[in-house]
Structure formats: structure tokens, C-alpha cells
Amino acid sequence: MHLTVEEALTIYPLSHAKLVAGQKGVSRILRSVNVMDAPDAGDWVKSGEMLFTTAFAMKDHLEVALTLLRMLDERGGAGLGIKVGRYWSQIPQELFDEANRLDIPILELPYEFTFSDQMDALFNAEHTKTTKKLQTILEKQKQLMQFALRHKESSDIFHMISGILGQPIAVFGHSGNVLFHNTSWAEDILLHQWPWHKNAQWEGFGDTRCFRIPLMDPQGCTGFFKVYLNSPLTLKEEEALFHQAAEILTYHLGLDIQKGKDPSRQHALSQVFTDFFGRELSFHDFMKSCKSYHLSVLSTTYQCVFTTVSPEHPNAKRLLNEVRQELIYHPMMQHYESEHLYIADGLFSIFALPEERLFHKKEFIAALTTCLSSLTTRTSASGLNCWVSRAKAHPELVYDAYNECLETSRVAHRLRMNQIVLHHESIELFSLFQHLSEEAMRSYYNYVLEPIYGNNKHIDQELALTLEVYLEYDGSINETSRLLFIHRNTVSYRLEKIADILQMDFKKMSDVLRLKLAFLFRNYLQTSKH
């Protein structure tokens, strides 16, 4: 039986009983009912048990009643039901006071019903309730199975599983990074007592309980899954449902890609890209394979990232897998359609860039840096680097993007640049300024940009935006007008106006280069803060 005392009081004929004391204990779990009138009844009390009595053994000995009540409380009993009218005409006040002090319910049972009537009703109600719950669990198991069979890897998997279970959930990476949660709790509360043991168990969580399950593959624990419930009552079958959801999560999070299973789409795509980059596959055959695997990220403007981990890192493969999790499921990355493939001991990622966003390069780098910051603060990520290519607009340029990532890596190592996220554009000019201090960079951009961004300046924001878009897109008036939805003559007018403020001529390469360097230094220093 898995009822609360409060629920039991709604079931006929126990609904005719009166809760006369211990009202604060109605949430106690009622697992069984026993009838006892022996003086030593308390010695046999079990957790969750409610005692029914006629008060025969205690009618002349109040201390026996008080001792029984205290023993019920000590052993986690559900409460005491007393049939008044045979041996007690009324329940003594001292028993009420002690029950209220212990918060253990005392029920005044209806005299006209036998104990067996009330017990049978409770068992029948529990049977009906359990049957309905089992039917619901079976239906959820079917939904999970259907979901697992038809669902492709997608960032909405968390919402889908939470919806099927009908409960809030939280999903964590191996290092404690929160991949997803739709609870009302803050992350530090969700990670209470981290690190956790790698076994499934219940946690008390204020008025809510949660069931925590490690996400296991043959290599070990690769994350954790929590389901939050408001009900204190759970069947073993429901725990099995949560384990089933955890297994589906483990698969769809991509934790088994490392196993090298040939049927895996990611594994096959990784081989396609490896062959293309190695010039063992023509572009025509490459695109044919991409189409057969429904790869769509190359059909729009895209950005490539190659993530590497130092070979000396003790868990390089696991760390790359955690990076992959972050890149797919971090909230700031979810509006980018992406593909992530293991190539040449690294993780090659392709992100489709939303055309409607003005600064997708700047926003993308900021999102990428923020995404990885939560990972690097919780794990030993020394030797982790993300090399970022320029944005590309045509599928055949993915080869150039990959080589830009490799070139960024080579130059960064040669110049001993230690940023975790480094854009290819940075190394082109920074290779010329490798000995320049951050203070010198700061002084330079303050000097050049002070007329616009100085603390006491109140320049028109439209002018500042026009300048940034103009430089972001390499001085293209047509691209600036398209992205700002204004006429190219308006762009020219604004640039003339801001050129007067800066005392520059944008037709002079030297002035454009000064601005380019100033913004480059500013963006570098802003990124280095992370």
C-alpha cells in the first residue's frame, strides 16, 4: 500500500473517521494497517504502519497509550486509529497533546463500521490506484520506445522526454555541467553535493524528491539524469521507466559515438569528410554522400570549428565528447544548426549561421566562448583549444575552412597564444604583433576609437552600428546596406559623417587598417576576459 494518511481519509468508509490530532502528520505514508489490542503492540510496529485499536489494552493505563504513540513515531508509523464507544467514551486530552507534539495522526474511527470493512476499502482503493498508475507507466514506456525508434538526434530530445515522463528533468555532463533543465531550481542547487556516486538513488529536495541516474556506457559514467517528482510515492515500475529514459538519453547524447560502430551516421560522415580532406574523394562524390546522410549545414553561410585536446591529457577522448555535448545542447548554441564529427583526433564542427543576424561572427565567437567556459571551470581542460575558420558561403569551401582551422592551430602554437577559442582572422594580424602587450593594445584602440566610444561621447548609435557592420563585412557598402535594410546612399552618408568625427578617410587603406586593428584589439581583449 502506498497512500498518505490524507488520501486514506478520503476513502469510504474511513472517510467517516475524524482526524482529531496530529494534523501536521497527514502526509505520512500509510503502507499497511494492523489491528492490535495487546499491551506490547508497539514492539511489533513497522514503518508506514497504522494501528487500529479499540483501546482495550490502554483503557485504564494512559501511559501505555502514550508509549505506543511515541513508539509509532520512532519507527515511522503512519498513525493511530481508535474506535471510541466501547472502552473509551472519549480520547484523553493528554493523548491529543502528545500526538500534536509528535505530528502523528490520531483518527477517531466510526463505530458502525468494522475494522475489516475499513481495511478492505483501503486495500481495494490502493489496488485500483496502483493498476491505473501501472497502465500510465506502460503507456509512457510505449511512448519512450516509439520515440527511441523514430527520433533522430536533435536538441529537443530533453523536452520530448520530459513531456513523456510528465515531470521536470535535469541532464548533466560528466564534469557536472548542466546540459539542460526545466526545473525552477538554480544550477548550484541542482548540483547539490556534487560530485555524486555513480549509482541510481533518490534525493530529498525540499518539497520535491528527485531520482538520480548515472548515464553509463561501456567506458564508464558519462553524465547524470535527474527526474523531479512532487509525489513521495513511487512504484518500482516507475523507477524502471526512468532508467529506460536514461538509456535513451545516453544514446541520443552521442555518448556511444566513440565505440566506432559502422552503422552510426556520425561515424560514416566522419569517414566521408576525412576522405574529402585527404583528397581521396572528389567534391561531386563528397556532396553526393552528404546528401545521402541529409547533411544540410553546408547549404547556407557556415562557420567551422576544429576542437583539439593535448595528447598528454589523461582523458582526451572523454573531454572531446563533453565539448560535443556542450556545443549541441548549451542554450547559447541551440539556435545554430550543427554537425559534429570526429576527424584526425579532433572534433570538427560545422555551424549554420543565421543570415538575419548582423554580427554572426562576433556573436558566434561570444556564444562559443561562453559555452565552453562552464566546461573549463568544472574540469581539467588544459590543452583544450577551439580553432575557428572564417565564415564560408559555399559547400566546396569547407576544405578551405578545415585548413584555416589547422593553420590557426599551427600559428597559435608557434606564437604561444593560449586562448581556448581562437579565430583564424586573429592570427593573420596577430602574427605581426606577437610581442605587443595587452596594455599597448588597449591604449591603441582607446586612442583610435575614443571619439566614438569614449565615456563622455554620445554618438548616434545608428552611426556606430553602421561603422561596425561596414568593417565586419570588409568595407562592403552593398553588404552593409543589405544587412541594415537601408539604401546604400544612406550607408555612404553615415560613413562620411563618422569619418568626419574620426578625422579619417575611408578611401585610404591606412585609415581603414587603423580602424581594423583597433576593433581587432578590442575584440581580442574582450574575448581574453573569458
Side-chain angles (χ1 to χ4, degrees):
M1 193 181 304
H2 291 79
L3 297 168
T4 64
V5 174
E6 187 174 25
E7 288 175 328
L9 285 170
T10 65
I11 298 169
Y12 180 85
L14 198 61
S15 56
H16 285 260
K18 296 178 182 178
L19 179 64
V20 293
Q23 285 83 356
K24 293 182 179 179
V26 292
S27 61
R28 286 177 179 249
I29 305 301
L30 194 161
R31 292 189 173 89
S32 61
V33 179
N34 206 342
V35 178
M36 287 190 179
D37 270 324
D40 59 349
D43 294 338
W44 308 97
V45 171
K46 295 179 291 187
S47 176
E49 191 167 66
M50 174 169 279
L51 287 184
F52 283 178
T53 180
T54 60
F56 172 75
M58 59 185 75
K59 64 181 188 300
D60 301 318
H61 305 282
L62 180 60
E63 190 57 39
V64 172
L66 294 172
T67 300
L68 177 62
L69 202 61
R70 292 166 190 150
M71 195 164 290
L72 272 169
D73 180 60
E74 289 173 4
R75 299 191 178 185
L80 182 64
I82 303 175
K83 181 176 284 192
V84 177
R86 177 167 301 198
Y87 298 108
W88 270 350
S89 58
Q90 61 181 19
I91 300 173
Q93 184 62 44
E94 292 86 347
L95 205 58
F96 288 161
D97 295 340
E98 186 67 3
N100 288 329
R101 184 183 72 83
L102 299 173
D103 292 334
I104 185 164
I106 292 182
L107 310 181
E108 186 176 308
L109 301 176
Y111 188 81
E112 61 272 23
F113 296 104
T114 65
F115 288 158
S116 61
D117 290 337
Q118 296 168 80
M119 294 167 68
D120 287 346
L122 288 175
F123 288 127
N124 289 335
E126 171 62 16
H127 181 266
T128 301
K129 176 183 174 182
T130 301
T131 301
K132 289 181 178 179
K133 194 165 188 177
L134 287 172
Q135 290 172 342
T136 301
I137 292 171
L138 180 60
E139 181 59 34
K140 290 180 178 180
Q141 287 177 331
K142 290 180 180 178
Q143 292 178 31
L144 282 176
M145 184 59 67
Q146 292 169 352
F147 173 81
L149 291 174
R150 72 170 183 265
H151 194 68
K152 295 181 180 179
E153 185 176 310
S154 172
S155 58
D156 68 353
I157 180 175
F158 302 129
H159 291 99
M160 293 291 291
I161 287 183
S162 179
I164 291 173
L165 297 180
Q167 306 290 350
I169 67 170
V171 184
F172 308 82
H174 176 264
S175 61
N177 46 315
V178 180
L179 299 177
F180 171 85
H181 81 93
N182 57 353
T183 74
S184 59
W185 306 102
E187 287 193 9
D188 57 336
I189 298 178
L190 295 176
L191 286 165
H192 180 61
Q193 294 185 334
W194 173 266
W196 302 314
H197 295 295
K198 296 176 178 61
N199 58 295
Q201 66 180 61
W202 286 97
E203 292 181 1
F205 214 81
D207 294 332
T208 304
R209 293 194 314 153
C210 71
F211 191 53
R212 186 186 74 226
I213 307 172
L215 302 177
M216 305 296 294
D217 70 5
Q219 297 180 8
C221 177
T222 52
F224 289 89
F225 169 54
K226 285 186 176 183
V227 186
Y228 293 84
L229 299 94
N230 291 322
S231 170
L233 306 173
T234 309
L235 300 179
K236 287 296 182 182
E237 290 79 5
E238 196 163 12
E239 290 185 13
L241 176 70
F242 300 153
H243 279 284
Q244 181 181 348
E247 290 178 4
I248 293 172
L249 270 176
T250 301
Y251 176 80
H252 280 281
L253 281 173
L255 302 180
D256 61 340
I257 289 180
Q258 305 269 356
K259 302 174 189 175
K261 291 184 177 179
D262 291 335
S264 165
R265 172 180 178 273
Q266 280 71 29
H267 179 85
L269 269 175
S270 295
Q271 191 60 51
V272 168
F273 274 76
T274 298
D275 292 344
F276 178 62
F277 292 155
R279 290 312 196 211
E280 297 177 9
L281 194 67
S282 68
F283 178 68
H284 177 269
D285 290 337
F286 169 74
M287 289 303 297
K288 185 177 180 180
S289 296
C290 289
K291 184 177 180 180
S292 69
Y293 289 113
H294 306 288
L295 185 141
S296 59
V297 288
L298 298 179
S299 61
T300 183
T301 302
Y302 59 91
Q303 192 107 32
C304 294
V305 179
F306 190 53
T307 305
T308 60
V309 179
S310 170
E312 287 75 30
H313 194 285
N315 294 300
K317 288 186 178 180
R318 184 179 295 278
L319 181 55
L320 275 179
N321 199 51
E322 291 177 24
V323 170
R324 181 180 181 276
Q325 285 183 342
E326 286 289 336
L327 295 179
I328 295 174
Y329 299 106
H330 191 281
M332 292 191 70
M333 305 303 293
Q334 287 195 17
H335 61 267
Y336 297 104
E337 182 187 356
S338 61
E339 289 283 351
H340 307 271
L341 310 168
Y342 291 97
I343 296 176
D345 297 324
L347 178 68
F348 185 66
S349 304
I350 310 170
F351 295 88
L353 300 177
E355 288 290 349
E356 68 275 9
R357 305 180 78 87
L358 294 180
F359 297 105
H360 40 53
K361 184 187 78 176
K362 182 185 296 183
E363 290 183 356
F364 177 76
I365 295 297
L368 186 62
T369 304
T370 302
C371 164
L372 294 178
S373 63
S374 60
L375 178 65
T376 55
T377 55
R378 288 197 177 98
T379 187
S380 174
S382 58
L384 172 67
N385 293 99
C386 290
W387 317 110
V388 186
S389 75
R390 287 176 174 272
K392 305 297 180 184
H394 303 287
E396 62 268 22
L397 296 179
V398 69
Y399 176 80
D400 295 335
Y402 177 64
N403 283 311
E404 286 177 4
C405 293
L406 297 182
E407 183 185 0
T408 305
S409 172
R410 287 192 296 267
V411 175
H413 283 106
R414 188 169 66 246
L415 300 180
R416 298 182 180 178
M417 302 174 74
N418 55 9
Q419 297 102 304
I420 291 180
V421 178
L422 193 63
H423 195 283
H424 180 260
E425 188 176 274
S426 301
I427 63 144
E428 293 179 307
L429 288 176
F430 268 107
S431 60
L432 302 176
F433 302 102
Q434 56 182 301
H435 301 300
L436 202 59
S437 68
E438 289 193 1
E439 185 56 40
M441 294 182 195
R442 189 174 290 105
S443 297
Y444 185 82
Y445 86 70
N446 281 335
Y447 169 74
V448 175
L449 300 177
E450 195 275 339
I452 303 178
Y453 297 104
N455 293 331
N456 299 320
K457 306 301 177 183
H458 300 287
I459 192 171
D460 189 332
Q461 292 300 313
E462 287 185 345
L463 295 180
L465 180 62
T466 302
L467 176 63
E468 292 190 35
V469 175
Y470 177 73
L471 291 172
E472 177 78 13
Y473 287 89
D474 299 321
S476 171
I477 290 179
N478 288 335
E479 280 297 293
T480 304
S481 65
R482 182 180 69 84
L483 290 163
L484 292 178
F485 301 101
I486 57 177
H487 196 275
R488 66 188 315 275
N489 291 341
T490 305
V491 175
S492 299
Y493 168 76
R494 291 180 182 177
L495 291 175
E496 288 176 7
K497 193 170 183 179
I498 204 166
D500 289 339
I501 296 172
L502 293 171
Q503 293 297 296
M504 290 184 178
D505 184 353
F506 291 160
K507 294 179 181 179
K508 290 183 178 181
M509 183 63 68
S510 59
D511 284 349
V512 174
L513 181 59
R514 288 173 62 203
L515 276 176
K516 194 75 173 177
L517 278 175
F519 277 107
L520 186 63
F521 289 161
R522 187 184 74 158
N523 293 340
Y524 169 79
L525 291 170
Q526 287 177 345
T527 303
S528 66
K529 291 178 182 179
H530 298 281

